[in-house]
Amino acid sequence: MAPQTRRTSFPKVIIEKDTDSEQSSSEEEEEEEGEVSEGENGKEVEETLDAKRKGKSPICISLKKVCKVCKKAGHEAGFKGATYIDCPMKPCFLCKMPGHTTMTCPHRVSTEYGVIPTSLRNSRNPFAYVFERQLGPTNSRIKPAYVIPDQWCGCFMTIDISLSLIVTRKKKGQVGVWDFGKVYEKIVYGNIHSCIVNNMRFSPINDGTVYAASSDGTISCTDLETGISLSLMNLNPDGWQGPGSWRMLYGMDLNKEKGVVLVADNFGYLYSVDIRANNKTGEAILIHKRGSKVVGLHCNPVQPDLLLSCGNDHYARIWDMRRIEACSSLYELAHKRVVNSAYFSPLSGSKIVTTSQDNRLRVWDSIFGNLDSPSREIVHSHDFNRHLTPFRAEWDPKDPSESLVVVGRYISENYNGAALHPIDFIDISTGQLVAEIMDPNITTISPVNKLHPCDDVLASGSSRSLFIWRPKEKCEPVEQKDEGKIIVCSGAGKKRGGKFGDDSDASDGDLFSSKGKNLKSKKSSLKSYKSQKVKR
C-alpha cells in the first residue's frame, strides 16, 4: 500500500461581515504587501506560494447582506416587517416605473391614478348591433350599491395536502350557503389523483358531479353521492419518462351547449372530452406557443362558440370553437408578462378582464369593438407567485353593471407592525378601490377569491385554509361544537388533534392560537384603522 501522509496544515478561513467590509478589504491589502516585503529573503513566501499551488488558498465565508433582487451586497430589498423596501437598482416594484419607490408610488395612494374611463367604442360591426338590441337592455345602466362581505365568519382546513375534494351539503339535491351556527357532515374523497389538482368544475347538468384536471395529466369525473371516480383521459399512460414528455393539465372549463370538457396542458395544447361518452374527442390543438403553459380557459356564458385562453407566452386569445385550429384565433390580446387569468363578464359576456404578472389588471369594455389595446389598465399589486397560486381577478356574478371584481393583494398594509394582505374590491370602470377587507387573525396571502352567485358571501383561499366572509349585519357568531366529523372515503388519513386538525404550517398555526385580550385590542384598532381610511 502507498504510504499515507497526514495533513498538517489547513487553509485559512476569512469571515467577512457587513459592518467591517471596507475595513477588512484595506487590511487585507496591507497584509499582502507586508507578506511580500518580509518574505523576499525568507522561506515564508515560498510556503504560501506552495500552498496556493497545491489548492490551499484561503476560504472566504461572507456574512454580508445580499439583495434578493439584484444579488448585490450593500443593501436589501423585500419586506422588512410590514414595509416593502425597493431595490435601488430596480424601478418601483408596484408600477414598474423608475423615479420613485413602492411606498411613495402614486398608484399605491389611489388605484385609479392614471386610469381614464372609456365608454363603449363605436364600431359598425353587426355583432355589436345585435348585442345592443338583444343583450344590452338586460344590463342595468345604473350601478347598484355594492354589498361587500367584510366580516370573517368561519374557517375550514384540509386535513391532508393530497386530499383533492371537500364537499359540504345540507340535504340531498340542495345547494346552499354555510350556516355557521349548525354542524354539517364533511365528506372527503381522497386518492383520486396522484399529483396536485389544478382545476375543478361542477357539471352544468348534474351538480352532484365534479370534473378535475391534475398535474398527473389526467381528467377525473367524480360522483359526490357514491364517491366513485372515473378517469376520462390520461396524457401520461407510460408513466414518468422525464420532464420533456410529462404533460400536466392546468386550464379547464365546461361547455354545456357542446357537451365537452376543455382542458389545456403545459405544452400549449388544447384537448376536449365528450361528457356523454366520457372519451377524448378529436386531436390535440396547439393554441399557444409550443412549450408554453396554458393556465386558463373560459367559455363565453352567452355565446358558447367563443373560447378565451391565456398562457405563459404573454397572450390571451379569443377562439371560435366551430373552426378552432392552430394559428386561427380571432383576436390576440398582448401583455407584457405572463397572463394569470382571463375571464368574460358573467352576464353579457361582452367584457374581458385579465390579470398579468406585470401588476396590471386589463379591461376590454366590448369584444365587438377594437381589441388592439385595452380600454383600461389598472395597477394592482399581485406580482408574486412563489409557493402560491397565481393571483386572479374574479367578477362579481351578482353585479348587473359588470364592473366589480375581487382580487387578493401582495403588498401588505402596516397594521401595528404586522403585515396584513387585504382582499381588494375594485370598480374596473373607474379603477377605484371600492373596499379592502382584512382581519388581524389572517396574516397570510389570499390569492384565490370567489364570490357566491346568489348570496353576499366571499370564499377566500389562504395557505391551506378556506375563509368565509359575509357582511357584518348578516354574520352570526360561530357556535363552538365538537360534533363535527370528517369522513375519509378512501386513503388513510392522519389523526390530528382539535376540531379543525393540528397543522404544521406556521401561518395556519398562528391563526388558531389563543391570544386573549390582545385580539380584542387588535380588532378595535382595526376598526379605527378602517375609519381613518374612509375619511381619507
Side-chain angles (χ1 to χ4, degrees):
M1 294 179 62
Q4 296 181 357
T5 58
R6 180 175 296 178
R7 188 172 184 177
T8 57
S9 61
F10 294 91
K12 185 179 179 181
V13 179
I14 301 175
I15 299 178
E16 296 182 0
K17 295 183 180 180
D18 194 16
T19 55
D20 56 352
S21 57
E22 298 179 356
Q23 183 179 359
S24 61
S25 61
S26 60
E27 291 177 357
E28 288 176 5
E29 292 177 358
E30 294 177 359
E31 289 178 0
E32 289 178 359
E33 293 177 358
E35 288 179 358
V36 172
S37 60
E38 292 177 1
E40 288 180 355
N41 298 324
K43 297 181 180 179
E44 296 181 359
V45 175
E46 295 180 1
E47 294 179 356
T48 54
L49 291 175
D50 291 340
K52 290 182 179 179
R53 290 171 185 170
K54 294 179 181 178
K56 296 179 181 179
S57 57
I59 299 176
C60 296
I61 301 175
S62 179
L63 299 180
K64 298 178 181 179
K65 296 179 180 179
V66 180
C67 177
K68 297 180 181 179
V69 179
C70 65
K71 308 301 181 184
K72 294 183 179 180
H75 63 275
E76 289 182 289
F79 277 108
K80 191 172 183 180
T83 305
Y84 186 84
I85 302 175
D86 287 278
C87 174
M89 309 298 293
K90 300 288 183 178
C92 171
F93 178 77
L94 179 58
C95 68
K96 313 300 182 184
M97 300 297 291
H100 59 269
T101 63
T102 300
M103 301 308 297
T104 60
C105 180
H107 295 278
R108 180 178 172 85
V109 178
S110 60
T111 56
E112 66 271 20
Y113 174 82
V115 178
I116 302 175
T118 58
S119 58
L120 179 65
R121 300 182 182 182
N122 295 326
S123 64
R124 297 180 180 179
N125 193 326
F127 292 104
Y129 176 78
V130 174
F131 170 76
E132 287 296 327
R133 292 296 302 271
Q134 297 182 0
L135 304 177
T138 60
N139 294 340
S140 176
R141 299 296 179 183
I142 301 176
K143 288 186 179 181
Y146 296 128
V147 179
I148 306 299
D150 56 355
Q151 182 71 26
W152 171 36
C153 290
C155 175
F156 307 95
M157 298 174 58
T158 59
I159 61 173
D160 198 318
I161 196 170
S162 64
L163 296 179
S164 60
L165 182 62
I166 295 184
V167 179
T168 305
R169 55 191 174 93
K170 290 185 178 181
K171 294 181 181 179
K172 184 177 180 180
Q174 295 183 0
V175 178
V177 185
W178 273 89
D179 185 356
F180 299 101
K182 299 180 181 179
V183 177
Y184 296 102
E185 181 184 14
K186 304 186 197 71
I187 302 178
V188 181
Y189 300 100
N191 298 332
I192 298 176
H193 293 276
S194 60
C195 293
I196 297 174
V197 175
N198 296 317
N199 223 315
M200 296 174 61
R201 291 288 187 276
F202 279 94
S203 172
I205 303 173
N206 181 13
D207 57 2
T209 303
V210 171
Y211 294 89
S214 171
S215 291
D216 59 5
T218 63
I219 302 175
S220 67
C221 175
T222 305
D223 189 340
L224 302 183
E225 294 295 330
T226 61
I228 299 175
S229 178
L230 300 176
S231 180
L232 307 184
M233 184 180 68
N234 186 6
L235 299 180
N236 304 302
D238 300 329
W240 176 259
Q241 301 293 330
S245 61
W246 185 262
R247 295 183 179 270
M248 297 180 284
L249 298 177
Y250 288 93
M252 179 182 179
D253 202 7
L254 275 75
N255 194 318
K256 179 181 178 181
E257 299 295 330
K258 296 185 176 297
V260 294
V261 180
L262 301 172
V263 289
D265 65 4
N266 57 326
F267 288 91
Y269 285 89
L270 175 71
Y271 307 86
S272 62
V273 176
D274 192 341
I275 296 177
R276 292 158 293 188
N278 289 336
N279 288 324
K280 177 183 174 183
T281 61
E283 297 294 331
I285 304 171
L286 183 66
I287 60 173
H288 280 261
K289 183 180 178 181
R290 189 183 303 273
S292 64
K293 184 192 301 182
V294 183
V295 296
L297 295 175
H298 188 218
C299 296
N300 194 294
V302 179
Q303 302 291 335
D305 292 325
L306 295 181
L307 174 66
L308 182 61
S309 65
C310 61
N312 287 8
D313 59 351
H314 303 185
Y315 279 95
R317 292 182 171 91
I318 303 177
W319 305 85
D320 187 349
M321 293 192 60
R322 294 169 292 186
R323 57 181 186 89
I324 184 171
E325 58 185 11
C327 303
S328 66
S329 60
L330 301 179
Y331 295 101
E332 292 187 350
L333 312 179
H335 294 69
K336 293 182 180 179
R337 289 184 61 186
V338 172
V339 187
N340 292 340
S341 65
Y343 296 110
F344 289 111
S345 53
L347 300 179
S348 67
S350 62
K351 297 182 181 181
I352 293 177
V353 61
T354 63
T355 310
S356 178
Q357 281 293 108
D358 61 351
N359 278 346
R360 297 292 192 279
L361 302 178
R362 289 175 173 83
V363 184
W364 283 264
D365 286 332
S366 174
I367 60 175
F368 307 107
N370 182 14
L371 297 179
D372 294 337
S373 60
S375 303
R376 279 170 303 283
E377 290 186 5
I378 304 171
V379 177
H380 182 265
S381 174
H382 50 257
D383 182 12
F384 186 84
N385 61 352
R386 184 179 298 174
H387 314 302
L388 279 179
T389 303
F391 290 87
R392 298 183 178 97
E394 300 274 355
W395 294 95
D396 183 1
K398 302 180 297 300
D399 178 22
S401 63
E402 296 182 330
S403 59
L404 186 65
V405 298
V406 57
V407 59
R409 190 195 308 177
Y410 170 58
I411 294 180
S412 63
E413 292 289 341
N414 190 347
Y415 169 62
N416 291 342
L420 299 183
H421 303 270
I423 301 171
D424 295 334
F425 287 81
I426 299 176
D427 186 346
I428 60 171
S429 61
T430 61
Q432 181 182 4
L433 180 63
V434 177
E436 53 179 358
I437 62 173
M438 66 186 80
D439 191 276
N441 295 327
I442 305 175
T443 58
T444 52
I445 305 174
S446 302
V448 181
N449 301 276
K450 283 283 187 179
L451 286 163
H452 195 276
C454 302
D455 203 351
D456 298 324
V457 174
L458 169 67
S460 61
S462 179
S463 186
R464 284 185 287 173
S465 301
L466 178 66
F467 299 95
I468 306 298
W469 304 78
R470 282 183 174 178
K472 291 183 178 179
E473 60 273 9
K474 291 186 179 182
C475 187
E476 299 177 357
V478 181
E479 295 182 8
Q480 299 293 335
K481 295 184 179 181
D482 297 332
E483 301 173 2
K485 297 181 180 179
I486 296 180
I487 302 176
V488 181
C489 293
S490 63
K494 297 180 180 179
K495 295 182 179 180
R496 310 239 176 156
K499 181 181 178 182
F500 295 103
D502 186 12
D503 199 342
S504 60
D505 193 351
S507 58
D508 294 334
D510 295 340
L511 202 61
F512 299 97
S513 60
S514 58
K515 299 181 181 179
K517 298 180 180 180
N518 191 19
L519 282 179
K520 296 181 180 179
S521 62
K522 281 189 176 182
K523 289 183 179 179
S524 60
S525 56
L526 179 60
K527 292 180 181 178
S528 62
Y529 173 76
K530 288 183 179 178
S531 62
Q532 291 176 2
K533 283 230 164 193
V534 173
K535 291 180 181 179
R536 290 178 186 174

